[in-house]
Amino acid sequence: LHSFPTRRSSVLVYGVSANAFLDEKFRIERFTMNVTLEVDGSLHYDEDTVMRMPGREELFHHTDACVLRRVEG
């Protein structure tokens, strides 16, 4: 298991890619990603992007998870 450092509001300088519109309207407050390389060679990740959204007082969590497996090509 590998955990990437949590990114906070330093997005203006380093971190998650954004543009002026997203930075103004959907400000990313935190990004966390965990990656696991399984014994069968597959890769599992899960991530949580926490952002401020217009019209919402509470922070919004956008989460994603996936397992990637190599296939013969």
Side-chain angles (χ1 to χ4, degrees), residues 1-14:
L1 171 67
H2 183 80
S3 292
F4 290 89
T6 297
R7 292 287 183 195
R8 297 201 187 271
S9 291
S10 61
V11 172
L12 293 173
V13 181
Y14 301 105

Side-chain angles (χ1 to χ4, degrees), residues 30-62:
R30 186 172 57 246
F31 175 81
T32 306
M33 176 180 253
N34 297 306
V35 177
T36 306
L37 183 58
E38 305 291 353
V39 281
D40 66 357
S42 63
L43 182 119
H44 174 267
Y45 74 86
D46 63 81
E47 63 92 358
D48 182 22
T49 304
V50 182
M51 63 185 89
R52 294 200 178 277
M53 296 177 66
R56 294 179 68 126
E57 237 179 83
E58 69 280 358
L59 293 173
F60 177 79
H61 289 258
H62 176 275

